[in-house]
């Protein structure tokens, strides 16, 4: 009985330890010499574990079908398809089978933006408007929300005053470019927007990518209109049920070509190519066209130009770097709703995906009726380290060869886990290295200029050190009787000083500047 009790206590203590914020410290202060490679500074963590891989958690939704508003832990959804960023650190959710547009505030409170919940196409105040299986959403620079009202074959607009209107589309399935209210769409899916507030739409059943200018002119960006996988000029290229798209900073459009199991690229010269994906349904991690997907639904980008794809029928989140290397970012491939580290977490037909300002990946986990979040816990530092030194954002190691002289400066290193954040102030100074060779004895002093502590390295033992000012007056005397030691300059006034260093064989003099 006693043994079992002790085991319980040990387990309890372990769980308490793991459910803590990190507590990270470094050796400080640190003085380095310019152009000399430093011994890397490693953090010590006496708090909670910092996950070594991304962590998947439930951001909002109980997992039960419903349309309940409230805190994220009690709110319910009904097959949410797309998530997008609002302009107030909020997340907008297209709650497809509730025929509503929902909002998750920065405080994680869920509310309804628009939609009565009944099927329809009614315009007007947001609490009276209706939708029919909406599928996509995007926000312009003014805060207006645009919705692909998929089964109404329309693009709807929710303005900043909460008024819902038809922005484009007659409501009749078809294909027609031109003035917005005369244009036709055929089950439009997800959208993207550029810096000029031009909308780009994955027009699913038209197998095209469409564009709408802010003043309502609809045109075709790419796609012949028939299902296919032909690369080439935008006027002759073909797609197969495109569902999602995003734009990079140079204006290149990346398309989740759902039916082709590919991510396609439309460059600014009007050429369509295959970015990644063999075209055969699969889950192969590799480069370019060797990799495979199984109905990729939506694609998005982070601040480092990495792409993330909801690989719907693989129940995975895939990651693509700028070179086209495809990896599995999260998900085992099995259906489920397990929150855990990325390699153990499970999803159920994920569709919508977006990356927020903190590079957290937000997912509409369609089949689980949830909004999920993937967080990569990284070290950050502020202000930036002196040139030549760098912080490893995953391990917290500070390493490198400083290339500039820098005064003693306080840097704040921060890192988080699921339970909180730890910050530590580390002080770093970079000075010049004074080196002088006397016969067979080489002496190194750093930093120079010095602020507080001067480091002395010698091949042979130094018996005495005397510090003189420029008038020849003795300021300080030490008897180190060793090769390597430190001299405290913190109480000495700014100026030029000379060090007289005596060993058993010789006497050396070196110049030092005190800042």
């Amino acid at each position: 009985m006693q043994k079992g009790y002790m085991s319980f206590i040990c387990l309890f203590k372990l769980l308490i330890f793991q459910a803590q914020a990190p507590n990270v410290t470094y050796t400080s202060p640190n003085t380095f010499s310019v152009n000399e490679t430093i011994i890397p500074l490693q953090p010590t963590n006496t708090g909670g574990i910092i996950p070594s891989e991304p962590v998947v958690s439930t951001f909002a939704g109980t997992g039960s079908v419903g349309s309940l508003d409230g805190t994220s832990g009690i709110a319910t959804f009904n097959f949410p398809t797309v998530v997008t960023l609002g302009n107030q650190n909020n997340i907008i959710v297209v709650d497809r089978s509730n025929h509503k547009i929902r909002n998750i505030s920065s405080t994680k409170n869920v509310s309804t933006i628009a939609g009565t919940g009944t099927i329809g196409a009614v315009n007007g105040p947001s609490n009276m408007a209706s939708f029919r299986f909406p599928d996509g959403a995007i926000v312009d620079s003014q805060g207006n929300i645009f919705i692909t009202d998929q089964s109404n074959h329309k693009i709807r607009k929710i303005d900043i005053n909460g008024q819902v209107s038809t922005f484009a589309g007659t409501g009749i399935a078809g294909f027609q470019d031109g003035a917005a209210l005369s244009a036709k769409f055929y089950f439009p899916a997800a959208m993207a927007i550029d810096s000029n507030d031009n909308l780009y739409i994955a027009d699913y059943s038209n197998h095209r990518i469409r564009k709408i200018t802010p003043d309502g002119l609809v045109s075709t960006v790419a796609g012949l209109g028939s299902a296919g996988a032909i690369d080439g000029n935008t006027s002759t290229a073909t797609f197969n049920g495109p569902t999602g798209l995003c734009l990079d900073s140079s204006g290149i459009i990346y398309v989740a070509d759902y039916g082709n199991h590919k991510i396609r690229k439309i460059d600014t010269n009007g050429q369509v190519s295959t970015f990644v994906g063999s075209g055969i349904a699969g889950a192969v991690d590799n480069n370019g066209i060797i990799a495979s997907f199984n109905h990729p639904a939506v694609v998005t980008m982070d601040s480092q130009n990495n792409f993330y794809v909801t690989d719907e029928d693989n129940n995975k989140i895939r990651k693509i770097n700028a070179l086209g290397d495809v990896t599995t970012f999260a998900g085992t491939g099995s259906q489920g709703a397990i929150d855990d580290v990325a390699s153990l977490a499970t999803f159920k037909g994920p569709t919508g995906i977006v990356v927020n300002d903190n590079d957290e990946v937000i997912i509409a986990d369609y089949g689980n009726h949830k909004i999920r979040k993937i967080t990569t816990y990284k070290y950050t530092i502020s202000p930036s380290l002196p040139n030549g030194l760098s912080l490893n954002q995953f391990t917290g190691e500070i390493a490198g060869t400083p290339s500039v002289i820098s005064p003693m400066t306080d840097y704040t290193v921060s890192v988080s886990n699921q339970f909180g954040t730890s910050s530590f102030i580390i002080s770093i100074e970079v000075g010049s290295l004074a080196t002088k060779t006397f016969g067979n004895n080489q002496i190194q002093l750093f930093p120079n200029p010095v602020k507080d502590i001067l480091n002395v390295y010698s091949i042979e033992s130094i018996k005495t050190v005397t510090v003189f000012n420029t008038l020849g007056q003795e300021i300080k005397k030490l008897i180190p009787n060793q090769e390597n030691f430190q001299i405290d300059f913190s109480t000495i006034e700014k100026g030029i000083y000379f060090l007289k260093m005596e060993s058993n064989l010789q006497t050396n003099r070196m110049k030092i500047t005190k800042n």
Side-chain angles (χ1 to χ4, degrees):
M1 188 71 176
Q2 183 68 20
K3 182 179 179 181
Y5 175 75
M6 292 304 296
S7 297
F8 170 78
I9 291 296
C10 290
L11 177 61
F12 177 75
K13 288 182 177 179
L14 176 62
L15 292 174
I16 290 295
F17 173 74
Q18 289 179 336
Q20 291 180 339
N23 183 27
V24 171
T25 58
Y26 288 82
T27 300
S28 185
N30 299 275
T31 300
F32 304 124
S33 179
V34 70
N35 298 323
E36 291 285 322
T37 300
I38 72 170
I39 297 173
L41 301 176
Q42 303 289 350
T44 298
N45 180 20
T46 58
I49 295 170
I50 302 166
S52 59
E53 62 174 299
V55 174
V56 179
S57 60
T58 296
F59 187 63
T62 65
S64 299
V65 172
S67 59
L68 182 65
D69 287 336
T71 60
S72 61
I74 66 168
T76 53
F77 300 90
N78 191 358
F79 293 111
T81 53
V82 160
V83 283
T84 196
L85 301 180
N87 290 358
Q88 298 179 348
N89 197 28
N90 59 310
I91 302 293
I92 295 166
V93 180
V94 179
D95 199 1
R96 179 179 174 83
S97 291
N98 275 325
H99 314 288
K100 291 182 176 183
I101 310 304
R102 313 282 291 281
N103 180 68
I104 307 175
S105 72
S106 59
T107 57
K108 296 184 66 177
N109 190 68
V110 179
S111 59
T112 297
I113 296 174
T116 61
T118 57
I119 291 176
V122 176
N123 288 323
S126 58
N127 63 344
M128 298 176 64
S130 57
F131 302 88
R132 185 182 181 90
F133 297 105
D135 193 70
I138 204 74
V139 180
D140 72 6
S141 61
Q142 305 303 309
N144 300 301
I145 306 170
F146 294 87
I147 308 297
T148 47
D149 195 2
Q150 190 170 68
S151 293
N152 277 324
H153 311 291
K154 292 181 176 182
I155 311 302
R156 311 283 291 283
K157 177 181 176 181
I158 308 170
D159 69 19
I160 57 175
N161 298 313
Q163 293 292 311
V164 178
S165 60
T166 297
F167 184 63
T170 64
I172 300 171
F175 169 71
Q176 179 66 51
D177 284 337
L181 296 181
S182 300
K184 291 182 181 180
F185 302 87
Y186 198 173
F187 292 123
M191 291 182 289
I193 195 166
D194 67 17
S195 59
N196 295 316
D197 283 342
N198 294 298
L199 297 179
Y200 296 83
I201 299 109
D203 197 359
Y204 178 78
S205 289
N206 273 323
H207 311 293
R208 290 179 164 107
I209 308 304
R210 311 286 290 282
K211 176 182 175 180
I212 311 176
T213 62
D215 57 359
L217 181 64
V218 179
S219 60
T220 296
V221 174
L224 186 61
S226 56
I230 298 172
D231 288 334
N233 187 271
T234 54
S235 61
T236 57
T238 55
F239 300 87
N240 188 2
T243 51
L245 64 171
C246 70
L247 285 82
D248 70 11
S249 58
S250 63
I252 296 174
I253 304 170
Y254 294 84
V255 180
D257 198 359
Y258 188 82
N260 279 325
H261 313 291
K262 292 181 176 183
I263 307 300
R264 310 283 290 285
K265 182 169 75 171
I266 307 170
D267 68 23
T268 55
N269 295 316
Q271 293 295 308
V272 177
S273 59
T274 297
F275 180 45
V276 291
S278 66
I280 300 171
V284 175
D285 286 337
N286 212 307
N287 180 266
I289 61 173
I290 302 174
S292 60
F293 301 84
N294 193 353
H295 291 120
V298 177
V299 58
T300 190
M301 288 185 73
D302 69 9
S303 62
Q304 305 301 313
N305 295 322
N306 296 301
F307 299 86
Y308 298 87
V309 179
T310 44
D311 198 0
E312 185 176 352
D313 285 348
N314 277 324
N315 303 298
K316 291 182 176 183
I317 310 303
R318 311 289 289 281
K319 181 178 180 179
I320 313 165
N321 67 16
L323 299 176
D325 297 316
V326 179
T327 56
T328 296
F329 184 62
T332 65
S334 299
Q335 287 191 355
I338 296 173
D339 287 335
D340 207 321
V341 294
S343 60
L344 300 177
T346 55
F347 302 88
K348 188 176 182 180
T351 51
I353 189 167
V354 71
V355 179
N356 67 17
D357 293 340
N358 297 320
D359 276 348
E360 295 174 312
V361 180
I362 311 295
I363 297 144
D365 197 359
Y366 182 79
N368 279 321
H369 315 288
K370 289 182 175 184
I371 309 303
R372 310 284 290 282
K373 180 174 74 171
I374 307 177
T375 305
T376 302
Y377 294 101
K378 302 176 183 178
Y379 286 82
T380 61
I381 193 165
S382 179
S384 298
L385 287 165
N387 290 347
L389 295 180
S390 62
L391 173 78
N392 186 311
Q393 62 182 353
F394 298 107
T395 66
E397 177 186 88
I398 296 173
T401 304
S403 58
V404 295
I405 294 173
S406 174
M408 186 67 77
T409 303
D410 290 339
Y411 300 89
T412 300
V413 179
S414 299
V415 67
S416 301
N417 66 8
Q418 305 95 306
F419 308 105
T421 300
S422 172
S423 295
F424 182 81
I425 295 176
I426 180 172
S427 301
I428 296 175
E429 175 185 27
V430 180
S432 64
L433 178 65
T435 303
K436 202 164 186 179
T437 301
F438 301 90
N440 295 323
N441 185 26
Q442 186 183 76
I443 298 176
Q444 295 182 334
L445 308 177
F446 76 91
N448 186 21
V450 62
K451 180 180 179 182
D452 294 313
I453 302 297
L454 178 70
N455 298 281
V456 180
Y457 294 104
S458 174
I459 293 175
E460 64 182 31
S461 178
I462 303 296
K463 292 176 61 179
T464 61
V465 177
T466 308
V467 180
F468 296 95
N469 62 19
T470 54
L471 299 176
Q473 298 168 327
E474 182 179 310
I475 303 299
K476 176 177 287 195
K477 188 169 185 177
L478 297 85
I479 305 176
N481 282 324
Q482 54 186 321
E483 292 88 355
N484 305 325
F485 55 93
Q486 294 180 326
I487 304 174
D488 185 359
F489 269 75
S490 61
T491 60
I492 296 177
E493 294 182 357
K494 295 179 181 179
I496 304 297
Y497 295 89
F498 297 92
L499 270 62
K500 177 183 176 182
M501 290 177 286
E502 298 176 272
S503 67
N504 288 326
L505 300 177
Q506 56 192 339
T507 298
N508 307 316
R509 295 180 183 272
M510 298 184 73
K511 180 180 176 182
I512 291 294
T513 301
K514 165 64 191 293
N515 277 344

